[in-house]
Amino acid sequence: MMISLLSGFLFSFLIAAFAYQKRSLSKSGAVAAIVVGTNVYAFGSLFWYGLLLTFFISSSALSRLKKQKKDVVAKDLFEKTGQRDVMQVLANGGLGTLFVWFAAASMDTLPWMVAYVGVIAAVNADTWGTELGVLSRGKPRHILTGRLVEKGTSGGISVWGTLGTALGGLWIGLFASLFQLILAENGWQLFWLWIGLLSGLLGALIDSVLGATVQLMYGCSICGGETERCEHCGAKTRRIRGVGGCNNDAVNLLSSAAGGLIAWLCWRVIGF
């Protein structure tokens, strides 16, 4: 176990250091990534650690795609932009880490593997959907009312964004199948593709619903726009909806849990 912990720390440190240098992680985010990565590597296997890296690498690469165009949207609407901090890392990887621990202590690891794939698929799908959705030419529509909203608005969905969520979930399912094949654990399983697609797509849609209902949003008294920020246009904003303490990180955590639950339910109904 000590060797696994040291190896996991070394690999995770190198990856986090590189991500910090590329401004994908803040200092606190890098520390959190090292802790999460070390635990997933030490208590899991290539299947677990590989999927975590698949999410992190693909989402970081997409976030750099046409970054200047995205920053125009993000700087006004999003509470956090650019580098992922400790709370963002834990919101995306914390629950998966718990599942790795539970699997290590369990006689039957399969249920935890399934739930883990659902969690990673949901956070990857949500990230892909957000990164691709803000690049669409037209305005998105509110997931509950159908009215047109500004790009980046919580609860807004678009064709490109929805396609991105589906591809993001499917991407995780594909790599789950590949890692299982490499480890010779029951061979290639198309089941993982369905798990990744369904839990990713539905988890991301749940994220949009939560963003449209319980996530804290503020209104700017100067320009009249909506934002996740407590300040906008140089003035303090007013709260217009949402539950206290439920910011974007909380929504991401809840939607990742939904993805894990959806994956587990699919496994119970469909089987392997």
Side-chain angles (χ1 to χ4, degrees):
M1 176 56 70
M2 184 58 66
I3 294 178
S4 295
L5 283 170
L6 291 175
S7 299
F9 174 80
L10 177 61
F11 289 137
S12 300
F13 176 82
L14 292 175
I15 294 169
F18 180 77
Y20 174 73
Q21 184 183 29
K22 293 296 183 180
R23 300 183 181 276
S24 295
L25 292 172
S26 66
K27 288 183 179 180
S28 66
V31 172
I34 292 171
V35 173
V36 169
T38 300
N39 278 273
V40 173
Y41 184 96
F43 292 95
S45 64
L46 173 65
F47 184 92
W48 305 82
Y49 195 69
L51 288 181
L52 183 66
L53 289 183
T54 299
F55 156 65
F56 180 72
I57 293 173
S58 67
S59 60
S60 296
L62 275 182
S63 67
R64 304 184 72 85
L65 179 65
K66 296 187 178 181
K67 188 175 185 300
Q68 291 183 341
K69 182 177 180 180
K70 293 175 181 177
D71 286 345
V72 174
V73 178
K75 69 182 181 67
D76 289 327
L77 288 171
F78 298 152
E79 178 186 5
K80 301 175 182 179
T81 61
Q83 297 171 305
R84 291 182 175 88
D85 62 16
V86 57
M87 295 308 298
Q88 289 171 296
V89 171
L90 294 179
N92 289 323
L95 189 57
T97 304
L98 287 178
F99 288 170
V100 175
W101 289 344
F102 294 154
S106 176
M107 296 295 292
D108 184 9
T109 62
L110 183 57
W112 299 112
M113 291 173 67
V114 171
Y116 180 81
V117 171
V119 166
I120 301 298
V123 297
N124 195 63
D126 178 57
T127 302
W128 281 38
T130 300
E131 298 294 346
L132 294 177
V134 295
L135 295 178
S136 61
R137 293 183 179 181
K139 290 185 177 182
R141 291 188 178 274
H142 195 277
I143 191 171
L144 298 179
T145 66
R147 64 181 175 85
L148 292 174
V149 294
E150 295 298 324
K151 290 182 180 180
T153 301
S154 295
I157 59 173
S158 65
V159 173
W160 278 107
T162 303
L163 178 61
T165 62
L167 291 176
L170 195 61
W171 186 253
I172 295 300
L174 173 63
F175 274 87
S177 295
L178 289 174
F179 291 138
Q180 186 182 53
L181 182 62
I182 293 172
L183 294 172
E185 295 180 356
N186 300 319
W188 174 271
Q189 290 284 355
L190 292 177
F191 170 80
W192 293 117
L193 296 177
W194 288 107
I195 286 293
L197 176 62
L198 291 175
S199 57
L201 182 59
L202 295 178
L205 289 176
I206 289 173
D207 183 276
S208 295
V209 172
L210 293 174
T213 54
V214 300
Q215 181 177 340
L216 280 172
M217 291 297 294
Y218 301 89
C220 178
S221 57
I222 305 299
C223 69
E226 290 188 11
T227 179
E228 297 175 2
R229 298 174 179 269
C230 295
E231 290 187 3
H232 197 266
C233 294
K236 287 189 176 182
T237 54
R238 68 186 189 282
R239 176 175 164 180
I240 56 177
R241 73 167 188 273
V243 177
C246 190
N247 61 4
N248 186 253
D249 293 331
V251 168
N252 287 340
L253 179 61
L254 291 172
S255 61
S256 72
L261 178 60
I262 290 167
W264 183 83
L265 289 174
C266 288
W267 169 68
R268 293 295 296 176
V269 173
I270 301 174
F272 223 81

